[in-house]
Amino acid sequence: MFNKLLHKETKLAVIGLGYVGLPIALAFAKKIKVVGFDINQSRVDMMRNQVDPSGELTKADFEGADIHFSADLEDLKDVTFYIVAVPTPIDSNNLPDLRPLIGASNTVGKTLKKGDIVVYESTVYPGCTEEDCIPILEEQSGLKFLTDFKVGYSPERINPGDKEHTLAKITKVVSGCDEASLDTIAEVYRIVIDAGVHKASSIKVAEASKIIENTQRDLNIALMNELSIICDKLNISTYEVLEAAGTKWNFLKFSPGLVGGHCIGVDPYYLTYKANKLGHKAKVILSGREINDNMGAYVANKTVHLMVNARKEISKTRVLVMGATFKENVEDIRNSKVVDVIRELESFHVTVDTIDPHASGVEFEHEYKLKLQASATGKYDAIIVAVNHHEYKNLSESYFETIAAENAVFIDLKGIYSNKINNLTYWSL
């Protein structure tokens, strides 16, 4: 199979062309024949016109790619190597929502042939590929796992907005259902991964490795958020504490903040779900999740408290929230915890204006039933710099003073204006 892919005698397909799938599909398409498959025809049309619906890639990234974008199952008939890269979100009860993964497995199963290999990249709990996905592949295809087709798992490591740690530069963890499939999967990924591959001993090990990557970050940020709450009560700067502690060689440099997005704020729940199924309550992980999930409300309540101290009548106050995406310099609004800040402020009958140079107002309103303003208007009783987009980093205090009401409060979540704000009441995590 590997040689046939290299000589373009067969095709590789990527199922799901979002933040993860599209970069992978285009990387492979510079070397081999690729089918980029997505069920959203409007997104397919955009990609056919060399436009990334996620706003991460440029037109130049599409050039020289031997790829056919499609939403038609017929275009998967000649594929022998499948990569599934669909989202794996959580539902309103923080439980895994496997509907996209199940849908993708049904799609692949309908065109699966003897000798094909399917690799899952979607983040899942350990055991999901073998327990939930493979039975669907067997049912839809009428083929038998191991005898007729092989399956592997290779966790995605795409970091939206990161132009340094790109796909080719990050070691790729790969796994297979047996030695032969593992060797083939590793060979295929080496086509596009300059940093090399790491062969995991089993699919479950590879699945667990992805979950712990983001769970570790989640817990470390939760520790910083709890430290921030304590430092606020002590009336000392969290960032000064971290700067001092960071002078030790083995101190891990994390900082407090809102933890949203489709990875860190979601993946730990997949691990705790599986742990619960095994009869173990993951106390440390859930405690960290609780702290991080409540930070939006904490920020909003602190803002209201500071405005009360400034003798403002809360129901008549106006607050400007700068930034709506889940992280800086991306368009991605999925699971944005800035929304928690906005909703909590609105529960106090505060008027909130939200602006963002990257987010789509249409998508934001559709997702959260909240509006984005084109720009700041009038005077605000509090200004919250919620996301440190590069457009915000060089704004001067004099600018903020032009949109600040008397005795205004300045909330700097990530501390990018530390020691730069002198005339407004300043607070940061």
Side-chain angles (χ1 to χ4, degrees), residues 220-234 236-243 245 251 254-256 291 295 298 429:
N220 276 299
I221 296 170
L223 176 60
M224 297 300 102
N225 279 333
E226 190 160 50
L227 171 67
S228 174
I229 295 170
I230 296 169
C231 286
D232 187 61
K233 293 181 180 297
L234 290 168
I236 59 176
S237 166
T238 308
Y239 288 96
E240 287 184 17
V241 172
L242 294 176
E243 182 182 16
F251 184 79
F254 287 87
S255 59
I291 290 170
M295 287 307 291
Y298 170 73
L429 287 174

Side-chain angles (χ1 to χ4, degrees), residues 31-277:
K31 306 289 182 67
I32 60 178
K33 292 180 74 69
V34 173
V35 177
F37 185 90
D38 198 288
I39 59 173
N40 189 324
Q41 184 64 54
S42 63
R43 288 176 61 88
V44 169
D45 292 339
M46 291 177 69
M47 289 179 278
R48 284 177 176 173
N49 289 314
Q50 299 185 325
V51 175
D52 177 8
S54 301
E56 284 287 301
L57 304 177
T58 66
K59 192 168 185 175
D61 293 311
F62 288 79
E63 293 175 358
D66 190 352
I67 187 167
H68 174 63
F69 294 107
S70 176
D72 186 349
L73 275 177
E74 284 297 314
D75 290 323
L76 297 176
K77 296 294 186 182
D78 297 329
V79 169
T80 56
F81 194 101
Y82 294 85
I83 295 175
V84 177
V86 296
T88 44
I90 52 176
D91 63 18
S92 59
N93 295 312
N94 294 328
L95 297 174
D97 179 359
L98 296 180
R99 287 177 296 177
L101 192 65
I102 290 170
S105 297
N106 277 307
T107 295
V108 172
K110 290 173 183 176
T111 60
L112 200 62
K113 307 175 299 302
K114 283 190 176 183
D116 290 354
I117 292 178
V118 183
V119 179
Y120 287 88
E121 290 214 5
S122 305
T123 302
V124 293
Y125 48 79
C128 182
T129 300
E130 292 156 301
E131 296 162 14
D132 299 286
C133 300
I134 290 175
I136 295 173
L137 296 176
E138 288 187 314
E139 180 183 358
Q140 289 293 338
S141 66
L143 301 175
K144 188 170 179 59
F145 172 55
L146 290 176
T147 302
D148 298 323
F149 68 92
K150 304 291 182 70
V151 172
Y153 182 82
S154 179
E156 59 90 2
R157 281 177 166 171
I158 299 292
N159 187 26
D162 190 340
K163 304 305 180 185
E164 179 182 353
H165 302 98
T166 53
L167 176 69
K169 298 178 182 177
I170 304 172
T171 301
K172 198 81 166 75
V173 175
V174 297
S175 64
C177 54
D178 57 20
E179 281 298 319
S181 63
L182 175 58
D183 288 342
T184 300
I185 292 166
E187 277 188 310
V188 171
Y189 274 106
R190 284 193 186 102
I191 296 173
V192 295
I193 306 297
D194 297 334
V197 300
H198 172 87
K199 292 183 176 181
S201 62
S202 69
I203 289 174
K204 283 191 180 74
V205 167
E207 291 169 325
S209 74
K210 173 58 180 178
I211 287 288
I212 196 59
E213 284 179 27
N214 289 330
T215 300
Q216 182 187 68
R217 282 189 56 78
D218 192 42
L219 286 170
N220 276 299
I221 296 170
L223 176 60
M224 297 300 102
N225 279 333
E226 190 160 50
L227 171 67
S228 174
I229 295 170
I230 296 169
C231 286
D232 187 61
K233 293 181 180 297
L234 290 168
N235 197 30
I236 59 176
S237 166
T238 308
Y239 288 96
E240 287 184 17
V241 172
L242 294 176
E243 182 182 16
T247 59
K248 189 178 181 186
W249 72 92
N250 60 352
F251 184 79
L252 301 179
K253 295 188 178 182
F254 287 87
S255 59
L258 302 178
V259 184
H262 53 96
C263 290
I264 300 177
V266 172
D267 295 353
Y269 285 120
Y270 274 73
L271 186 55
T272 59
Y273 168 82
K274 185 63 176 182
N276 190 55
K277 289 288 186 182

